[in-house]
Amino acid sequence: MTGTIVDKEKKKVLIVNTNSGGHAVIGFYFAKELLGAGHEVTILTVGEESSDKMKKPPFNRFSEIVSAGGRTVWGDPAEVGKVVGGVAFDVVLDNNGKDLDAVRPVIDWAKSSGAKQFLFISSAGIYKPTDELPHVEGDVVKADAGHVGVEKYIAEVFGVWAVFRPQYMIGSGNNKDCEEWFFDRIVRDRPVPIPGSGMQLTNISHVRDLSSMLTLAVEKPDAACCNIFNCVSDRAVTLDGMAKLCAQAAGRPVNIVHYDPKAVGIDAKKAFPFRNMHFYAEPRAAKDILGWRCATNLPEDLKERFDEYVKIGRDKKQCSLR
Amino acid sequence: MGGTRFIGIFLSRLLVKEGHQVTLFTRGKAPITQQLPGESDKDFADFSSKILHLKGDRKDFEFVKSSLSAEGFEVVYDINGREADEVEPILDALPKLEQYIYCSSAGVYLKSDLLPHFEIDAVDPKSRHKGKLETESLLVSKGVNWTSLRPVYIYGPLNYNPVEEWFFHRLKAGRPIPIPNSGLQITQLGHVKDLARAFVLVLGNEKASKQVFNISGDKYITFDGLAKACAKAGGFPEPEIIHYNPKEFDFGKKKAFPFRDQHFFASIDKAKSVLGWKPEFDLVEGLADSYNLDFGRGTFRKEADFSTDDMILGKSLVLA
């Protein structure tokens, strides 16, 4: 069932990218991978080039996209046609909007300007929580989730499309802390407070895996067509497990402290970077349909991440830890 | 080897239906054939007339060697083998053996923070199931064409391991279900009929040659979720679940809960993509099949024993 027809044609790809948050780094890796494969890439970042948000990674590394031959522009996605200067594209990826209001202008413009394939970064967070894991493509989603409305509209309006539902990711250039939250505490010999039992499963992927899945969809548009893909690694890790792996990567001991957020009066959503429940999707569709392979190796990847963490001096930085 | 207790009962029927000549090597402690609940008289008669029996103790290596070489089997399904030394006489007896198909266990995997277990993962030479590992290694070293299936927790009608039965006893008695710690531990059940189908699919299958496959259900389930699924399957109201800290109790030799107190699940992606196999039962359907054909008819293997439950509930009452 793996799509074997790879489209060798070079494509003109537009990435509409968010200017902040956990998904921002996806566009950065995807742009570089496409450029490396010889495609033409424009990345439209929401907002203004001069904004403070652009001083953070991955935006402060956009010169890498430019030097690889890509084009970087800034603006309002609602006026995407104008922002890209009236240019048309073969493939459009929206890695920005979380609801139909934000994405519809991009979808409508992509269709009217003749784009052949529309890709959307949704979220595995839309799956309805259940006792049975993992979340698999086709499982029930929360009807009122913003992303769901977008997914439905894309399917109605576009001929060739694919939707990607990621979870958490690590990787150089990440805009939002993930493993750093653990490193911050481990290097300062502070306890790592984890809500609940620490047994909650989550899925943490290296962003290059997400990028490779997107690239496969561009190169196998017919196989990818009209499918939803969980855009995640193929292994779960427990919250405790993640803390231990971070400590191993740092070569230091870890002191995990479990707490009951309700009893302590803490909003776990703010105090802790992961959901306080099992949240685990598997990339079954990508493996079956695209022949995608997972390359995330959390123990090894975290060593690399820790080396960079130290290199940029974050281990010495003043840190406010609860 | 085996075939009269659980997996083999279903597997042997599928093989006979496919037209193979099937011999069951057992001590004869269990009846060679028993009519399954839901099995028609005609089907049972047909099966009984074709199945063959070789009576013996597989621990009697000399007898195994002589009796098997006299028969000259082409394929061996080893459903009840536990130790590597049990396999040697079989291989010695059948030098022209086309395939040795072994029922191993996902229990061989080394405990990990990264799950699910894949077939390529590290195994634990010290695990309770090291006999299975040693058997797999022996098969590899002997150069025979082997296939090994690693199930997780098997369930279904006639299950002799009190997996679903444990929950059904409590649900029937209207008792709360005591689950250790958070109840978030994730496990995985695979229906015996789906496992039997996998065993048939690997027979004479080049793609299965010298390969290991995890075989279980398509989805994993939390302990709490499993209690609820059993209730749903048996038409019981949603159960009361009591969580407890097992360290606060001394249960002696008794098991207070039928699952290992950890996450334990394996990916079945390899079997799906290489063999084209996939489980037909989802969890609630499968548990209903087990309930309707077994416990729900008043049959079970082990009598209910609520002594550990009472210890837990007694303490909870005191604390409450």
Side-chain angles (χ1 to χ4, degrees):
Chain A
M1 271 288 275
T2 3
T4 48
I5 301 167
V6 175
D7 200 330
K8 291 289 184 191
E9 244 183 55
K10 295 312 167 199
K11 311 266 173 86
K12 287 200 176 88
V13 184
L14 172 67
I15 301 169
V16 176
N17 214 61
T18 176
N19 56 24
S20 69
H23 290 186
V25 68
I26 300 174
F28 180 58
Y29 275 72
F30 185 43
K32 297 211 293 179
E33 185 165 352
L34 288 171
L35 289 164
H39 300 287
E40 259 183 60
V41 177
T42 297
I43 182 164
L44 186 171
T45 304
V46 177
E48 286 168 33
E49 188 174 359
S50 54
S51 102
D52 275 344
K53 292 187 176 180
M54 296 300 110
K55 297 187 179 148
K56 295 180 71 184
F59 311 106
N60 57 11
R61 289 172 53 180
F62 266 22
S63 54
E64 292 171 36
I65 294 178
V66 174
S67 61
R71 189 173 149 228
T72 54
V73 295
W74 279 261
D76 182 352
E79 304 186 325
V80 48
K82 194 164 116 195
V83 178
V84 300
V87 174
F89 295 85
D90 300 310
V91 182
V92 176
L93 167 72
D94 186 298
N95 178 32
N96 172 53
K98 297 182 187 175
D99 57 40
L100 202 46
D101 282 346
V103 192
R104 197 201 316 248
V106 179
I107 299 169
D108 289 345
W109 164 80
K111 182 146 172 123
S112 66
S113 66
K116 296 188 204 108
Q117 182 187 38
F118 196 89
L119 307 175
F120 176 56
I121 302 292
S122 177
S123 166
I126 63 175
Y127 284 111
K128 202 154 173 240
T130 159
D131 294 321
E132 276 195 282
L133 277 74
H135 294 304
V136 155
E137 298 87 349
D139 283 356
V140 175
V141 293
K142 298 177 214 165
D144 57 347
H147 297 94
V148 173
V150 181
E151 291 184 358
K152 284 202 175 117
Y153 187 67
I154 293 170
E156 279 166 33
V157 159
F158 243 89
V160 179
W161 58 268
V163 159
F164 298 85
R165 295 176 178 166
Q167 284 193 239
Y168 304 104
M169 63 212 84
I170 65 172
S172 180
N174 210 348
N175 186 262
K176 185 172 169 192
D177 276 359
C178 176
E179 67 280 24
E180 293 84 349
W181 187 89
F182 294 93
F183 291 154
D184 281 348
R185 285 148 186 80
I186 290 166
V187 296
R188 290 166 182 80
D189 286 322
R190 293 286 298 269
V192 177
I194 292 183
S197 63
M199 292 278 281
Q200 304 90 314
L201 288 185
T202 189
N203 192 329
I204 299 169
S205 324
H206 194 290
V207 59
R208 66 171 110 76
D209 268 346
L210 280 70
S211 173
S212 70
M213 198 187 287
L214 292 168
T215 304
L216 266 178
V218 169
E219 292 177 349
K220 296 181 183 182
D222 294 327
C225 179
C226 315
N227 286 301
I228 293 169
F229 297 98
N230 287 336
C231 202
V232 291
S233 81
D234 62 7
R235 302 261 196 181
V237 66
T238 60
L239 299 181
D240 276 3
M242 181 60 179
K244 286 188 229 158
L245 289 177
C246 286
Q248 273 163 36
R252 299 179 77 103
V254 65
N255 173 20
I256 295 172
V257 172
H258 294 128
Y259 67 96
D260 176 357
K262 285 193 206 133
V264 185
I266 286 184
D267 181 355
K269 279 194 211 149
K270 298 200 177 127
F272 189 68
F274 301 97
R275 290 179 189 213
N276 181 11
M277 57 195 285
H278 286 311
F279 177 34
Y280 173 56
E282 278 184 3
R284 295 184 186 184
K287 282 186 175 182
D288 283 344
I289 297 171
L290 298 175
W292 173 85
R293 283 212 190 344
C294 180
T296 296
N297 177 337
L298 219 41
E300 287 305 309
D301 292 338
L302 286 171
K303 284 202 194 103
E304 250 182 57
R305 298 301 306 132
F306 185 71
D307 287 344
E308 183 173 324
Y309 176 89
V310 167
K311 201 160 146 209
I312 61 179
R314 274 195 68 165
D315 56 334
K316 307 276 185 284
K317 221 173 109 178
Q318 271 278 69
C319 219
S320 86
L321 302 171
R322 319 190 83 239
Chain B
M1 305 302 289
T4 56
R5 202 172 176 200
F6 184 37
I7 301 169
I9 290 180
F10 297 97
L11 173 59
S12 57
R13 276 166 171 72
L14 293 179
L15 292 169
V16 165
K17 262 215 180 104
E18 298 231 324
H20 302 291
Q21 186 194 85
V22 181
T23 302
L24 306 177
F25 184 110
T26 77
R27 292 169 299 172
K29 280 191 151 186
I32 312 310
T33 58
Q34 42 171 322
Q35 189 165 6
L36 296 178
E39 186 178 32
S40 73
D41 290 344
K42 179 176 179 296
D43 282 345
F44 179 57
D46 191 63
F47 171 70
S48 306
S49 69
K50 292 179 179 156
I51 196 78
L52 302 167
H53 183 237
L54 176 48
K55 184 169 173 171
D57 188 336
R58 71 175 298 172
K59 294 285 200 186
D60 181 350
F61 299 155
E62 280 312 310
F63 177 75
V64 168
K65 197 165 163 187
S66 59
S67 60
L68 261 51
S69 71
E71 300 285 340
F73 297 105
E74 285 140 354
V75 175
V76 170
Y77 273 97
D78 188 351
I79 300 303
N80 62 9
R82 286 186 193 277
E83 304 295 339
D85 58 5
E86 295 166 17
V87 174
E88 287 224 61
I90 300 173
L91 296 177
D92 289 344
L94 303 167
K96 297 204 192 120
L97 188 65
E98 289 170 17
Q99 191 178 13
Y100 195 102
I101 303 172
Y102 183 56
C103 188
S104 181
S105 166
V108 300
Y109 289 113
L110 182 66
K111 202 168 166 191
S112 172
D113 288 320
L114 292 165
L115 291 164
H117 292 299
F118 285 92
E119 290 83 351
I120 52 169
D121 285 358
V123 290
D124 182 3
K126 294 191 219 143
S127 88
R128 234 175 4 105
H129 302 273
K130 66 185 204 295
K132 300 277 192 187
L133 256 187
E134 286 159 12
T135 302
E136 287 182 352
S137 301
L138 179 73
L139 290 168
V140 172
S141 71
K142 289 281 184 175
V144 69
N145 177 28
W146 60 271
T147 301
S148 182
L149 299 192
R150 292 177 180 166
V152 186
Y153 287 104
I154 311 169
Y155 74 109
L158 302 180
N159 196 0
Y160 58 83
N161 186 15
V163 165
E164 67 270 52
E165 181 184 283
W166 188 90
F167 290 95
F168 290 149
H169 272 311
R170 282 143 188 83
L171 290 163
K172 178 150 184 230
R175 282 177 150 265
I177 316 265
I179 292 182
N181 293 313
S182 66
L184 290 182
Q185 303 90 315
I186 296 184
T187 189
Q188 184 184 18
L189 272 61
H191 198 288
V192 65
K193 291 175 191 171
D194 285 328
L195 176 59
R197 284 175 37 249
F199 270 115
V200 173
L201 265 176
V202 301
L203 177 62
N205 189 339
E206 260 172 38
K207 295 186 187 154
S209 174
K210 306 193 180 185
Q211 295 294 327
V212 174
F213 296 96
N214 295 331
I215 300 291
S216 193
D218 207 33
K219 290 225 177 178
Y220 327 122
I221 185 84
T222 61
F223 287 170
D224 281 3
L226 180 54
K228 294 181 209 165
C230 287
K232 220 171 160 190
F236 296 104
E238 200 169 306
E240 189 195 348
I241 293 172
I242 308 266
H243 294 126
Y244 64 96
N245 180 353
K247 292 193 190 141
E248 289 173 15
F249 299 89
D250 177 8
F251 298 122
K253 290 212 171 122
K254 294 202 170 177
K255 253 173 124 175
F257 191 69
F259 294 87
R260 2 162 121 53
D261 187 4
Q262 62 182 75
H263 291 315
F264 179 47
F265 53 98
S267 170
I268 59 170
D269 281 356
K270 182 180 173 184
K272 283 160 89 176
S273 62
V274 172
L275 303 172
W277 167 87
K278 68 177 199 297
E280 278 175 5
F281 286 99
D282 72 27
L283 186 61
V284 171
E285 274 170 8
L287 289 168
D289 181 72
S290 178
Y291 186 80
N292 293 334
L293 296 176
D294 194 2
F295 195 92
R297 297 185 179 210
T299 53
F300 49 80
R301 312 291 96 61
K302 273 176 99 169
E303 286 290 341
D305 176 357
F306 301 131
S307 52
T308 54
D309 298 51
D310 289 336
M311 285 172 68
I312 294 160
L313 295 170
K315 189 159 187 203
S316 312
L317 277 174
V318 166
L319 289 175

